[in-house]
Amino acid sequence: MKAFIAGLPKAELHVHIEGTFEPELMFDLAGRNGIALPYESIGALKAAYDFSNLEDFLALYYQGMKVLLHEQDFHDLTWAYLERARTDNVRHAEIFFDPQGHTRRGVAFETVLNGIWRALERGRRELGLTTKLILCFLRDLPEEDAERCLDMALAHKARIAGIGLDSTEVGNPPAKFEGVFARARHEGFPCVAHAGEEGPAAYVREALDLLKVARIDHGNRALDDTDLVARLVREGVPLTVCPLSNLRLRVVAEAKDHPLKAMLGKGLAVTVNSDDPAYFGGYINDNYEVMQEALDLSREEIVTLARNSFEASFLSRAKKDAHLARLNDYALAAKSSNRSTAARS
Ligand code: ADE
Ligand code: ZN
């Protein structure tokens, strides 16, 4: 099953580029930029990755970002993720970035965007990996900050495929950003939002009703509300679920308690993603594997998750169909090689 997951063509729809910042690269860039990290070694930094909740994690996530100063830093960060994703047979990635986490430190929006973009172009050329960039507003900042961030984004519309919402959820409901999301949609951006990670099912409803999002990032807490689940199924709203993140941030106590299989069973359009893989102990295939083992997912369920990942993407219908055809071929080839192995034994 591990080999089956490894070779499975898949899309990743929920990964924060700043959350792919591996400690080794962080120390390299800190050295290059003459910035002292408050840890004496890579080991000491890794030892700090023991989180009780989202807030705990975000403190380290924002601290880590501080060593990213120059365009080349953003390029190197993004390139490292793309190379890693390609080894997991990710064929398409929709990547979040948090410009406000950088502009508030005095790094220009263009420095961030140009560095990331250069790596994405290189990824298309050298790895055959297609990508889209989703700009996330930090929900713990005022809506006016998000408005200013959107103004900056409008000067680079061709490179930004969508708008999202992340950072501290509880106390920062989607309603706080109704105005800026309306303007983003008016400008033609498809929207997504983190909702129901730590916040209540009501935040998932607000994200749908007020922000009019096309996908919900996480969405675990939607399961507390049966009417909401029925609506998500009826409307085919995808959920970008992140199992290792849920475990490391204690949204779910143990892998065997994860609701992924139950979500599939209810007919929700769930996908599997890595969120902040450098902090949560694994990339996308590790997320598939931990769920397959703990929940005894079948090959058909694994293929459904990968199929959902392409369907839920912002790719054109034609591009989705091309990915889905390759996925079907892969699943069929695995089935027939399984059958011939069974026949021989
Ligand atoms: N920013 C980076 N990772 C996040 C997560 N899992 N939830 C909210 N904001 C985030
Ligand atoms: Zn996230």
Side-chain angles (χ1 to χ4, degrees), residues 58-74:
L58 288 171
L60 281 189
Y61 172 81
Y62 292 121
Q63 174 186 274
M65 280 185 203
K66 289 185 186 166
V67 309
L68 297 163
L69 294 183
H70 307 294
E71 189 183 306
Q72 190 64 34
D73 304 339
F74 291 93

PDB file of all heavy atoms in Angstrom, residues 58-74:
ATOM      1  N   LEU A  58       1.573  28.590  15.708  1.00  0.00           N
ATOM      2  CA  LEU A  58       1.701  29.833  14.936  1.00  0.00           C
ATOM      3  C   LEU A  58       2.844  30.704  15.478  1.00  0.00           C
ATOM      4  O   LEU A  58       3.526  31.387  14.711  1.00  0.00           O
ATOM      5  CB  LEU A  58       0.380  30.605  14.914  1.00  0.00           C
ATOM      6  CG  LEU A  58      -0.722  29.977  14.038  1.00  0.00           C
ATOM      7  CD1 LEU A  58      -2.067  30.698  14.260  1.00  0.00           C
ATOM      8  CD2 LEU A  58      -0.368  29.993  12.546  1.00  0.00           C
ATOM      9  N   ALA A  59       3.082  30.648  16.785  1.00  0.00           N
ATOM     10  CA  ALA A  59       4.181  31.439  17.367  1.00  0.00           C
ATOM     11  C   ALA A  59       5.508  31.025  16.710  1.00  0.00           C
ATOM     12  O   ALA A  59       6.311  31.887  16.323  1.00  0.00           O
ATOM     13  CB  ALA A  59       4.227  31.242  18.873  1.00  0.00           C
ATOM     14  N   LEU A  60       5.729  29.720  16.546  1.00  0.00           N
ATOM     15  CA  LEU A  60       6.979  29.260  15.920  1.00  0.00           C
ATOM     16  C   LEU A  60       6.987  29.503  14.412  1.00  0.00           C
ATOM     17  O   LEU A  60       8.028  29.797  13.823  1.00  0.00           O
ATOM     18  CB  LEU A  60       7.200  27.774  16.211  1.00  0.00           C
ATOM     19  CG  LEU A  60       7.746  27.462  17.594  1.00  0.00           C
ATOM     20  CD1 LEU A  60       8.126  25.991  17.695  1.00  0.00           C
ATOM     21  CD2 LEU A  60       8.969  28.307  17.899  1.00  0.00           C
ATOM     22  N   TYR A  61       5.823  29.365  13.818  1.00  0.00           N
ATOM     23  CA  TYR A  61       5.681  29.579  12.368  1.00  0.00           C
ATOM     24  C   TYR A  61       6.056  31.028  12.014  1.00  0.00           C
ATOM     25  O   TYR A  61       6.836  31.274  11.087  1.00  0.00           O
ATOM     26  CB  TYR A  61       4.237  29.242  12.023  1.00  0.00           C
ATOM     27  CG  TYR A  61       3.700  29.528  10.651  1.00  0.00           C
ATOM     28  CD1 TYR A  61       3.945  28.656   9.587  1.00  0.00           C
ATOM     29  CD2 TYR A  61       2.856  30.623  10.424  1.00  0.00           C
ATOM     30  CE1 TYR A  61       3.378  28.885   8.332  1.00  0.00           C
ATOM     31  CE2 TYR A  61       2.288  30.849   9.181  1.00  0.00           C
ATOM     32  CZ  TYR A  61       2.553  29.983   8.138  1.00  0.00           C
ATOM     33  OH  TYR A  61       1.985  30.217   6.903  1.00  0.00           O
ATOM     34  N   TYR A  62       5.551  31.992  12.789  1.00  0.00           N
ATOM     35  CA  TYR A  62       5.889  33.399  12.499  1.00  0.00           C
ATOM     36  C   TYR A  62       7.336  33.712  12.859  1.00  0.00           C
ATOM     37  O   TYR A  62       7.982  34.526  12.211  1.00  0.00           O
ATOM     38  CB  TYR A  62       4.901  34.345  13.211  1.00  0.00           C
ATOM     39  CG  TYR A  62       3.503  34.248  12.625  1.00  0.00           C
ATOM     40  CD1 TYR A  62       2.407  33.885  13.396  1.00  0.00           C
ATOM     41  CD2 TYR A  62       3.295  34.492  11.270  1.00  0.00           C
ATOM     42  CE1 TYR A  62       1.137  33.770  12.850  1.00  0.00           C
ATOM     43  CE2 TYR A  62       2.019  34.376  10.704  1.00  0.00           C
ATOM     44  CZ  TYR A  62       0.952  34.012  11.497  1.00  0.00           C
ATOM     45  OH  TYR A  62      -0.296  33.892  10.937  1.00  0.00           O
ATOM     46  N   GLN A  63       7.836  33.046  13.883  1.00  0.00           N
ATOM     47  CA  GLN A  63       9.249  33.240  14.238  1.00  0.00           C
ATOM     48  C   GLN A  63      10.168  32.740  13.112  1.00  0.00           C
ATOM     49  O   GLN A  63      11.128  33.407  12.737  1.00  0.00           O
ATOM     50  CB  GLN A  63       9.547  32.482  15.523  1.00  0.00           C
ATOM     51  CG  GLN A  63      11.008  32.486  15.900  1.00  0.00           C
ATOM     52  CD  GLN A  63      11.249  31.591  17.090  1.00  0.00           C
ATOM     53  OE1 GLN A  63      11.110  32.008  18.232  1.00  0.00           O
ATOM     54  NE2 GLN A  63      11.587  30.348  16.827  1.00  0.00           N
ATOM     55  N   GLY A  64       9.831  31.590  12.567  1.00  0.00           N
ATOM     56  CA  GLY A  64      10.642  30.998  11.495  1.00  0.00           C
ATOM     57  C   GLY A  64      10.707  31.906  10.276  1.00  0.00           C
ATOM     58  O   GLY A  64      11.758  32.052   9.633  1.00  0.00           O
ATOM     59  N   MET A  65       9.579  32.543   9.963  1.00  0.00           N
ATOM     60  CA  MET A  65       9.509  33.419   8.781  1.00  0.00           C
ATOM     61  C   MET A  65      10.515  34.557   8.825  1.00  0.00           C
ATOM     62  O   MET A  65      10.860  35.111   7.787  1.00  0.00           O
ATOM     63  CB  MET A  65       8.133  34.109   8.726  1.00  0.00           C
ATOM     64  CG  MET A  65       7.043  33.294   8.183  1.00  0.00           C
ATOM     65  SD  MET A  65       5.607  34.399   8.092  1.00  0.00           S
ATOM     66  CE  MET A  65       4.335  33.160   8.129  1.00  0.00           C
ATOM     67  N   LYS A  66      10.920  34.931  10.051  1.00  0.00           N
ATOM     68  CA  LYS A  66      11.742  36.153  10.188  1.00  0.00           C
ATOM     69  C   LYS A  66      13.074  36.067   9.463  1.00  0.00           C
ATOM     70  O   LYS A  66      13.711  37.087   9.231  1.00  0.00           O
ATOM     71  CB  LYS A  66      11.991  36.458  11.674  1.00  0.00           C
ATOM     72  CG  LYS A  66      10.753  36.937  12.387  1.00  0.00           C
ATOM     73  CD  LYS A  66      11.089  37.348  13.817  1.00  0.00           C
ATOM     74  CE  LYS A  66       9.815  37.702  14.576  1.00  0.00           C
ATOM     75  NZ  LYS A  66      10.061  37.771  16.023  1.00  0.00           N
ATOM     76  N   VAL A  67      13.532  34.869   9.133  1.00  0.00           N
ATOM     77  CA  VAL A  67      14.825  34.786   8.429  1.00  0.00           C
ATOM     78  C   VAL A  67      14.661  34.930   6.911  1.00  0.00           C
ATOM     79  O   VAL A  67      15.648  34.977   6.180  1.00  0.00           O
ATOM     80  CB  VAL A  67      15.622  33.508   8.780  1.00  0.00           C
ATOM     81  CG1 VAL A  67      15.743  33.341  10.289  1.00  0.00           C
ATOM     82  CG2 VAL A  67      15.022  32.274   8.155  1.00  0.00           C
ATOM     83  N   LEU A  68      13.419  35.015   6.438  1.00  0.00           N
ATOM     84  CA  LEU A  68      13.170  35.197   4.998  1.00  0.00           C
ATOM     85  C   LEU A  68      13.184  36.684   4.673  1.00  0.00           C
ATOM     86  O   LEU A  68      12.279  37.425   5.093  1.00  0.00           O
ATOM     87  CB  LEU A  68      11.800  34.600   4.624  1.00  0.00           C
ATOM     88  CG  LEU A  68      11.629  33.097   4.813  1.00  0.00           C
ATOM     89  CD1 LEU A  68      10.148  32.712   4.810  1.00  0.00           C
ATOM     90  CD2 LEU A  68      12.373  32.333   3.708  1.00  0.00           C
ATOM     91  N   LEU A  69      14.229  37.126   3.983  1.00  0.00           N
ATOM     92  CA  LEU A  69      14.361  38.563   3.708  1.00  0.00           C
ATOM     93  C   LEU A  69      14.404  38.897   2.222  1.00  0.00           C
ATOM     94  O   LEU A  69      13.835  39.894   1.795  1.00  0.00           O
ATOM     95  CB  LEU A  69      15.657  39.101   4.343  1.00  0.00           C
ATOM     96  CG  LEU A  69      15.770  39.099   5.861  1.00  0.00           C
ATOM     97  CD1 LEU A  69      17.092  39.744   6.274  1.00  0.00           C
ATOM     98  CD2 LEU A  69      14.594  39.838   6.494  1.00  0.00           C
ATOM     99  N   HIS A  70      15.120  38.078   1.459  1.00  0.00           N
ATOM    100  CA  HIS A  70      15.410  38.434   0.071  1.00  0.00           C
ATOM    101  C   HIS A  70      14.639  37.544  -0.902  1.00  0.00           C
ATOM    102  O   HIS A  70      14.233  36.438  -0.548  1.00  0.00           O
ATOM    103  CB  HIS A  70      16.919  38.312  -0.191  1.00  0.00           C
ATOM    104  CG  HIS A  70      17.733  39.087   0.800  1.00  0.00           C
ATOM    105  ND1 HIS A  70      17.676  40.459   0.862  1.00  0.00           N
ATOM    106  CD2 HIS A  70      18.570  38.681   1.791  1.00  0.00           C
ATOM    107  CE1 HIS A  70      18.467  40.870   1.846  1.00  0.00           C
ATOM    108  NE2 HIS A  70      19.014  39.810   2.427  1.00  0.00           N
ATOM    109  N   GLU A  71      14.524  38.021  -2.130  1.00  0.00           N
ATOM    110  CA  GLU A  71      13.818  37.253  -3.160  1.00  0.00           C
ATOM    111  C   GLU A  71      14.368  35.829  -3.253  1.00  0.00           C
ATOM    112  O   GLU A  71      13.617  34.853  -3.359  1.00  0.00           O
ATOM    113  CB  GLU A  71      13.958  37.991  -4.500  1.00  0.00           C
ATOM    114  CG  GLU A  71      13.099  37.399  -5.579  1.00  0.00           C
ATOM    115  CD  GLU A  71      13.305  38.083  -6.921  1.00  0.00           C
ATOM    116  OE1 GLU A  71      13.184  39.323  -6.991  1.00  0.00           O
ATOM    117  OE2 GLU A  71      13.573  37.356  -7.898  1.00  0.00           O
ATOM    118  N   GLN A  72      15.701  35.719  -3.179  1.00  0.00           N
ATOM    119  CA  GLN A  72      16.316  34.389  -3.293  1.00  0.00           C
ATOM    120  C   GLN A  72      15.871  33.461  -2.158  1.00  0.00           C
ATOM    121  O   GLN A  72      15.725  32.246  -2.372  1.00  0.00           O
ATOM    122  CB  GLN A  72      17.851  34.527  -3.300  1.00  0.00           C
ATOM    123  CG  GLN A  72      18.589  33.244  -3.653  1.00  0.00           C
ATOM    124  CD  GLN A  72      18.300  32.775  -5.093  1.00  0.00           C
ATOM    125  OE1 GLN A  72      18.120  33.591  -5.991  1.00  0.00           O
ATOM    126  NE2 GLN A  72      18.223  31.463  -5.284  1.00  0.00           N
ATOM    127  N   ASP A  73      15.623  34.020  -0.980  1.00  0.00           N
ATOM    128  CA  ASP A  73      15.174  33.202   0.155  1.00  0.00           C
ATOM    129  C   ASP A  73      13.817  32.576  -0.157  1.00  0.00           C
ATOM    130  O   ASP A  73      13.580  31.398   0.122  1.00  0.00           O
ATOM    131  CB  ASP A  73      15.058  34.045   1.435  1.00  0.00           C
ATOM    132  CG  ASP A  73      16.356  34.750   1.794  1.00  0.00           C
ATOM    133  OD1 ASP A  73      17.426  34.295   1.325  1.00  0.00           O
ATOM    134  OD2 ASP A  73      16.303  35.764   2.534  1.00  0.00           O
ATOM    135  N   PHE A  74      12.926  33.395  -0.727  1.00  0.00           N
ATOM    136  CA  PHE A  74      11.585  32.889  -1.049  1.00  0.00           C
ATOM    137  C   PHE A  74      11.658  31.873  -2.188  1.00  0.00           C
ATOM    138  O   PHE A  74      10.910  30.893  -2.208  1.00  0.00           O
ATOM    139  CB  PHE A  74      10.628  34.055  -1.370  1.00  0.00           C
ATOM    140  CG  PHE A  74      10.317  34.875  -0.149  1.00  0.00           C
ATOM    141  CD1 PHE A  74      11.065  36.005   0.171  1.00  0.00           C
ATOM    142  CD2 PHE A  74       9.304  34.487   0.713  1.00  0.00           C
ATOM    143  CE1 PHE A  74      10.808  36.736   1.326  1.00  0.00           C
ATOM    144  CE2 PHE A  74       9.033  35.209   1.871  1.00  0.00           C
ATOM    145  CZ  PHE A  74       9.794  36.340   2.179  1.00  0.00           C
TER     146      PHE A  74
END
